[in-house]
């Protein structure tokens, strides 16, 4: 029995040594995941409420949380790899992937807009690239993966939402006011002159959430970037300074992308003879 215990103890020590010495990143990841796993208790409560109210969202909640867990875990290791690379090509690769996914997602929201995914993708790319270039030129952020990729992710995400909403609202307004637009065209107005009010209204609707968020930041909510810095040990004043930069860049990127989306999609609503594409404006 003593020899068996000794053997078991030796095996335990050997395994522990392997875990402690050979796989530090995996060990740190496993220990760090204890808090997210504990936070699943909140999801369990939400599922109970969904079941009690007969909402039928339990499976959707499980799927959403599982997908988020897998995606975030995977991207964590990917970013750790990219951050350790000196080649800036990794920055462009990550950026292109983000823009591609964002363009497709925004295009799905505005799926009835002709070439909506391509228009959204190009608008997001140009709008966020312009904003990022200004930030780098002004030396707000250094051109390194650790800064550029997270910042680009925030800009692309906001630009995606604004672009999708703007394109969808633009088509809806053109469809609802088709008669007014055709009358303006018959009187000699150009397509841009005949639809400028609808386009402006779509931009206002698309940008409203970003503007409202900028107005209430710090009063109603503490944004993720600021909260993460504070919880990571940074002083509140340092976190505030970074958050101000973040709000500025989000507003700029969203505006650039939204305006570009309207200009790029405008021609697809008209024929070569400056008439409305009625088949594009048919009811969904």
């Amino acid at each position: 029995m003593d020899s068996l215990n000794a053997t078991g103890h030796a095996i335990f020590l050997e395994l522990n040594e392997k875990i402690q010495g050979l796989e530090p990143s995996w060990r740190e990841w496993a220990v760090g995941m204890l808090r997210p796993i504990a936070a699943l208790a909140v999801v369990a409560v939400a599922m109970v409420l969904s079941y009690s109210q007969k909402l039928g969202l339990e499976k959707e909640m499980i799927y959403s949380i599982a997908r988020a867990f897998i995606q975030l875990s995977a991207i964590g290791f990917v970013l750790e790899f990219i951050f350790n690379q000196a080649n800036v090509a990794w920055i462009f690769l990550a950026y292109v992937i983000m823009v591609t996914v964002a363009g497709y997602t925004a295009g799905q929201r505005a799926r009835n807009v002709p070439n909506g995914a391509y228009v959204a993708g190009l608008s997001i790319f140009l709008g966020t690239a312009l904003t990022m270039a200004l930030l780098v030129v002004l030396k707000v952020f250094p051109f390194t993966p650790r800064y550029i990729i997270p910042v680009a992710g925030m800009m692309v995400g906001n630009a995606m939402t604004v672009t999708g909403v703007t394109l969808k609202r633009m088509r809806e307004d053109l469809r609802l006011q088709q008669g007014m637009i055709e009358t303006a065209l018959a009187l000699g107005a150009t397509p841009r002159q005949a639809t400028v009010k609808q386009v402006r209204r779509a931009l206002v609707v698309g940008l409203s959430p970003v503007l409202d968020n900028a107005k209430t930041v710090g009063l109603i909510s503490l944004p993720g970037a600021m909260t993460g810095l504070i919880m990571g040990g940074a002083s509140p004043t340092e976190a505030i300074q970074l958050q101000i930069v973040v709000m500025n860049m989000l507003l700029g990127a969203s505006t650039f992308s939204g305006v570009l989306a309207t200009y790029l999609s405008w021609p697809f609503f008209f024929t070569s003879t400056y008439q409305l594409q009625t088949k594009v404006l048919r009811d969904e």
Side-chain angles (χ1 to χ4, degrees):
M1 182 66 69
D2 292 339
S3 62
L4 183 61
N5 290 337
T7 302
H9 184 63
I11 294 174
F12 173 78
L13 290 177
E14 183 179 354
L15 292 174
N16 186 62
E17 182 179 353
K18 289 182 178 180
I19 293 174
Q20 296 294 329
L22 299 180
E23 299 291 344
S25 60
W26 284 100
R27 184 182 68 252
E28 293 175 1
W29 178 81
V31 172
M33 289 305 297
L34 292 177
R35 284 183 295 179
I37 291 174
L40 289 175
V42 180
V43 179
V45 174
M47 291 175 62
V48 170
L49 288 174
S50 174
Y51 178 78
S52 65
Q53 298 297 315
K54 298 181 180 180
L55 301 178
L57 297 176
E58 298 85 2
K59 292 183 179 180
E60 188 70 17
M61 290 180 180
I62 294 175
Y63 171 75
S64 300
I65 291 299
R67 180 169 173 173
F69 178 90
I70 294 172
Q71 290 176 176
L72 290 174
S73 298
I75 198 63
F77 286 103
V78 171
L79 289 178
E80 185 173 353
F81 168 79
I82 294 177
F83 288 170
N84 293 324
Q85 306 304 309
N87 193 341
V88 297
W90 288 102
I91 297 179
F92 293 105
L93 177 61
Y95 178 63
V96 168
I97 293 174
M98 286 189 290
V99 170
T100 301
V101 175
Y104 173 79
T105 304
Q108 288 296 106
R109 179 186 291 271
R111 57 183 177 274
N112 293 306
V113 175
N115 301 305
Y118 297 104
V119 169
L122 183 58
S123 301
I124 295 169
F125 173 77
L126 294 175
T128 55
L130 175 60
T131 306
M132 183 63 69
L134 289 173
L135 294 175
V136 172
V137 169
L138 295 174
K139 297 182 179 181
V140 177
F141 292 115
F143 193 72
T144 60
R146 185 171 295 275
Y147 284 91
I148 299 301
I149 292 178
V151 168
M154 287 187 286
M155 288 194 299
V156 169
N158 277 265
M160 174 190 71
T161 302
V162 170
T163 301
V165 172
T166 299
L167 288 175
K168 182 179 180 180
R169 181 57 185 264
M170 179 178 172
R171 178 190 174 275
E172 290 177 351
D173 280 1
L174 292 180
R175 180 174 61 85
L176 293 174
Q177 301 182 21
Q178 182 175 346
M180 184 186 302
I181 296 171
E182 290 178 337
T183 300
L185 292 172
L187 293 174
T190 65
R192 294 188 186 279
Q193 291 172 336
T195 58
V196 65
K197 291 184 179 180
Q198 290 77 18
V199 171
R200 287 175 179 171
R201 188 180 299 112
L203 282 169
V204 170
V205 172
L207 289 170
S208 291
V210 180
L211 294 171
D212 290 341
N213 190 30
K215 294 175 185 176
T216 59
V217 63
L219 298 176
I220 298 177
S221 64
L222 296 179
M226 180 178 174
T227 302
L229 284 172
I230 293 176
M231 295 178 67
S235 68
T237 54
E238 292 175 335
I240 288 171
Q241 292 170 0
L242 177 61
Q243 188 58 51
I244 293 174
V245 173
V246 169
M247 295 305 302
N248 291 340
M249 72 182 189
L250 293 183
L251 180 57
S254 298
T255 304
F256 295 156
S257 299
V259 172
L260 283 169
T262 61
Y263 274 90
L264 292 175
S265 63
W266 228 326
F268 297 116
F269 290 102
F270 295 91
T271 66
S272 58
T273 56
Y274 300 148
Q275 295 177 325
L276 274 174
Q277 291 272 22
T278 53
K279 63 179 181 179
V280 173
L281 302 177
R282 289 174 185 167
D283 292 343
E284 301 176 10

